[in-house]
Amino acid sequence: IDAKKTEQTALKKQIAKLEEEIGKMDQAATKAKKQRKKTNDLYKEASSDLSKTRKAVKQCIKALEDAGEATSLVQNKVKGVLALVESSVSEDQRQTLQQFTEPVDVAAMGDRKAHVKKYSFKSGNVIELLKQLALKFEDDLVQVEKEETNSLNAYDLAKDARDNSKKAEIGR
């Protein structure tokens, strides 16, 4: 009877220790789950922002290519894109876009051909710049998706490891 009581006491201590370890694993799982949700929310926000910006840039490119001589509407679209991408462009790129949005002064009436040539030249530079930005935002979107995939895979691996460790502890 004394041997069984000693064994019972030892088993109770082991059970308490295992319960404590399982509790710690559950806390770690809860913390990891919360962190995963935060990471996923940030991914969704960044992905949405990049997608909207890329779409706005592509619409602006199309508007510039289709605009012909209707500069004021296109200049407003470029202003909108400039506001979206201002933190993502170099100073030279920002200045090119900003210069395009400023009205073109025509020195004398009847000088329409010179005005149109100047506009075409400016819009060509802006179109190329916007195409480069569209590619940059597509690359950024791919990078964000890769990072999200890696984050999800790391979370799943850690979760599987915790679950396997918990099963091993319970099985002892």
Side-chain angles (χ1 to χ4, degrees):
I1 292 176
D2 286 338
K4 291 295 180 183
K5 285 182 181 180
T6 305
E7 184 180 352
Q8 181 182 14
T9 303
L11 289 174
K12 284 182 180 180
K13 286 180 183 179
Q14 284 180 346
I15 290 171
K17 185 178 178 183
L18 290 173
E19 286 174 343
E20 181 182 336
E21 288 178 22
I22 290 172
K24 287 179 183 177
M25 287 180 205
D26 288 343
Q27 287 176 344
T30 301
K31 184 178 179 182
K33 196 172 190 177
K34 286 179 183 176
Q35 182 60 42
R36 177 70 200 119
K37 179 166 177 13
K38 285 181 185 178
T39 302
N40 185 256
D41 289 346
L42 288 173
Y43 156 74
K44 287 178 183 177
E45 183 180 337
S47 178
S48 174
D49 288 349
L50 286 169
S51 293
K52 288 176 184 175
T53 302
R54 188 182 78 203
K55 183 178 178 183
V57 169
K58 286 186 174 191
Q59 287 174 345
C60 191
I61 291 169
K62 180 158 177 39
L64 281 169
E65 291 173 342
D66 296 345
E69 299 172 18
T71 61
S72 63
L73 178 63
V74 176
Q75 285 174 331
N76 286 335
K77 282 193 174 272
V78 173
K79 283 180 186 178
V81 167
L82 181 59
L84 286 171
V85 301
E86 195 159 10
S87 64
S88 303
V89 296
S90 70
E91 184 63 26
D92 289 339
Q93 292 171 327
R94 188 189 58 73
Q95 285 180 349
T96 299
L97 290 172
Q98 199 167 26
Q99 287 173 354
F100 179 78
T101 62
E102 296 169 359
V104 177
D105 289 333
V106 178
M109 297 301 274
D111 194 13
R112 184 171 179 81
K113 285 185 180 181
H115 166 73
V116 171
K117 285 181 185 175
K118 185 174 182 181
Y119 170 75
S120 296
F121 175 73
K122 283 176 69 177
S123 68
N125 287 341
V126 171
I127 289 172
E128 287 306 311
L129 174 61
L130 290 173
K131 284 180 180 179
Q132 291 172 1
L133 286 173
L135 289 174
K136 178 192 178 301
F137 289 118
E138 287 174 14
D139 291 344
D140 290 350
L141 187 58
V142 168
Q143 182 63 31
V144 165
E145 288 174 359
K146 282 181 183 178
E147 290 171 3
E148 171 63 7
T149 301
N150 290 339
S151 175
L152 181 60
N153 289 339
Y155 171 79
D156 287 341
L157 287 172
K159 182 181 181 306
D160 289 345
R162 278 191 307 274
D163 291 346
N164 289 337
S165 179
K166 190 175 178 179
K167 285 178 187 175
E169 290 296 326
I170 291 172
R172 281 205 287 177

